[in-house]
Amino acid sequence: MGSLPAFPEAVSAKQGVREDCIDEITLTDLFKEQQRHLNFFFERMDHSQTLSFTRALLRSTGTIFFTGVGKSGFVANKISQTLVSLGIRSAFLSPLDALHGDIGILSAADILVLLSKSGATDELLRLVPCARAKGARLIAVTSVKGCALEAVCDMNVHLPLERELCPFNLAPVTSTAIQMVFGDTVAIALMGARNLSKEDYRCVLGVCDFVCVVVMAYFSPLEEDILDSLCWNVGRDGEVVGDKIENEVKDLMKKEDELPICKESDLIMDQLVELTSKGCGCLFVIDDGRHLIGTFTDGDLRRTLKASGQGIFKLTVGEMCNRKPRVIGPEAMAVVAMKKMEAPPSPVQFLPVINDDNVVIGIITLHGLVSAGL
């Protein structure tokens, strides 16, 4: 395919590849060396430059464009996409395409961030006068002090680089790592400065999911059940209701009239309807202030009946309930609730949801989590 030669079926003996040369010690040493190179960056980076860069992006009234060549181009694209996911207007501008007409997208309100390890990339240097003619602000992010790109841009951020992890100091594996760390950390700083809440972030993701589903439904004859499976996590106003990672317990829990509750002094046999009608397989034993005292399950009912026989008619829920049940708070992530249910010594099918005052406010069930896609 194309002009590239086919991959050889086997590595030639001349290359001397030996599988036994890769062992745990070698890998551990490489990771430690990479850590040292990254620490070199962290210990020597100029935070005042980073602050100026971050504030420049924050004040931007236009689009923040990122550009780069090769591996730096991939990183530039990734950083731009991260900003987009935070609701910040951003895009990747290919330097090659820009030199062939795409430069027309730039305006005087925009910022163009040029990523380059050496700061001497020919495509970027040729792009600079074209971008300057459009009035955009130019910011270089480089790892070589006094480089050509630094001299022709309005601002430069120096990312200290000791060397590449590559034994020949050629493959850009450390320089791209620090570029990524730098860009993503600045993105989170912007996230905080813009007061972006978790709900705002989830709304952005939800809108993207919804648009994708609508486009797919329009252009392809999707079966109804397939469309439903794609739409399960898109709720009203673009909120991701069933997101596997971002959902909180409060998004999926049952509450108020759906809760199976009883008092400590209630007879077990008098609460059978409550135990079975709410579809939770349990009862929450509460006091007058709705504080959780314990739980009583259908499994507890079977065990009590087996052990007590006719005596069960005289037993109260409070006498037989579990007074140390697993519980969870409403702000906990749904995946955490799932793990808590599955934890030893034995899995459970539900968790009482309580607030800081031990007041019952909901119930999260295994069935509810599975239905949400976890």
Side-chain angles (χ1 to χ4, degrees):
M1 181 177 179
S3 60
L4 293 176
F7 288 106
E9 292 184 3
V11 181
S12 66
K14 184 178 179 180
Q15 290 176 286
V17 173
R18 289 174 49 201
E19 187 173 320
D20 58 359
C21 287
I22 301 179
D23 54 29
E24 186 174 340
I25 295 176
T26 301
L27 284 174
T28 300
D29 289 343
L30 284 171
F31 278 110
K32 287 182 178 179
E33 185 178 352
Q34 181 76 310
Q35 184 180 31
R36 287 194 296 271
H37 296 330
L38 294 177
N39 285 339
F40 179 91
F41 161 71
F42 288 122
E43 292 165 1
R44 290 166 176 78
M45 69 178 297
D46 188 334
H47 291 283
S48 63
Q49 286 186 350
T50 304
L51 179 60
S52 298
F53 174 77
T54 306
R55 286 178 172 173
L57 300 193
L58 185 63
R59 298 190 189 106
S60 174
T61 58
T63 302
I64 303 169
F65 288 94
F66 287 80
T67 189
V69 176
K71 307 300 185 296
S72 293
F74 286 113
V75 175
N77 195 1
K78 193 275 176 188
I79 296 172
S80 173
Q81 292 302 309
T82 299
L83 294 185
V84 170
S85 73
L86 300 178
I88 299 172
R89 214 165 17 170
S90 182
F92 174 75
L93 181 64
S94 164
L96 182 61
D97 292 338
L99 292 171
H100 287 80
D102 284 3
I103 192 69
I105 198 172
L106 280 180
S107 73
D110 299 332
I111 292 176
L112 179 61
V113 181
L114 304 95
L115 267 70
S116 172
K117 170 189 170 182
S118 67
T121 308
D122 183 60
E123 293 88 344
L124 296 185
L125 291 172
R126 287 194 290 138
L127 178 60
V128 166
C130 302
R132 192 171 292 287
K134 298 290 292 183
R137 186 177 186 185
L138 309 182
I139 303 177
V141 179
T142 64
S143 289
V144 176
K145 288 186 176 181
C147 62
L149 202 58
E150 176 183 349
V152 295
C153 288
D154 301 307
M155 179 189 297
N156 180 73
V157 179
H158 176 68
L159 305 183
L161 174 66
E162 184 177 23
R163 59 160 290 137
E164 302 286 0
L165 181 63
C166 166
F168 309 117
N169 196 26
L170 294 175
V173 291
T174 304
S175 56
T176 51
I178 64 176
Q179 287 175 345
M180 192 79 79
V181 168
F182 170 78
D184 284 346
T185 304
V186 168
I188 298 305
L190 293 173
M191 183 180 184
R194 291 163 60 90
N195 294 318
L196 187 71
S197 68
K198 184 183 295 183
E199 286 70 26
D200 294 332
Y201 185 61
R202 292 166 62 186
C203 184
V204 171
L205 296 181
V207 169
C208 294
D209 286 345
F210 182 72
V211 170
C212 288
V213 170
V214 170
V215 170
M216 290 176 68
Y218 182 81
F219 287 104
S220 59
L222 294 177
E223 297 293 335
E224 185 176 352
D225 58 337
I226 298 177
L227 185 59
D228 286 343
S229 69
L230 290 171
C231 289
W232 68 266
N233 66 333
V234 182
R236 295 179 182 177
D237 302 322
E239 181 183 3
V240 184
V241 176
D243 190 276
K244 297 178 183 179
I245 297 176
E246 291 299 325
N247 253 343
E248 294 180 348
V249 167
K250 63 184 179 183
D251 299 319
L252 302 175
M253 70 182 187
K254 294 182 176 182
K255 49 192 175 182
E256 298 175 354
D257 293 340
E258 298 177 292
L259 298 181
I261 58 175
C262 69
K263 296 297 181 64
E264 189 175 12
S265 58
D266 290 339
L267 292 174
I268 292 176
M269 300 308 292
D270 290 343
Q271 294 300 316
L272 291 184
V273 173
E274 185 75 5
L275 177 63
T276 57
S277 64
K278 299 296 177 69
C280 299
C282 67
L283 291 170
F284 289 170
V285 186
I286 60 173
D287 62 17
D288 292 335
R290 295 183 67 88
H291 298 97
L292 182 66
I293 296 174
T295 60
F296 185 84
T297 68
D298 49 10
D300 293 327
L301 175 63
R302 290 191 296 271
R303 286 185 288 271
T304 302
L305 181 60
K306 183 177 181 180
S308 304
Q310 295 291 328
I312 195 172
F313 289 97
K314 298 180 180 179
L315 292 174
T316 64
V317 181
E319 291 178 280
M320 304 307 297
C321 72
N322 172 19
R323 293 178 177 265
K324 292 184 179 180
R326 302 176 200 180
V327 297
I328 198 162
E331 306 295 333
M333 307 309 293
V335 289
V336 175
M338 175 73 84
K339 289 181 180 178
K340 205 163 191 176
M341 289 184 193
E342 296 174 341
S346 59
V348 296
Q349 302 292 312
F350 67 91
L351 292 174
V353 183
I354 61 173
N355 63 17
D356 293 337
D357 297 321
N358 195 41
V359 173
V360 175
I361 59 174
I363 179 173
I364 185 80
T365 65
L366 182 60
H367 179 268
L369 293 174
V370 172
S371 297
L374 272 79

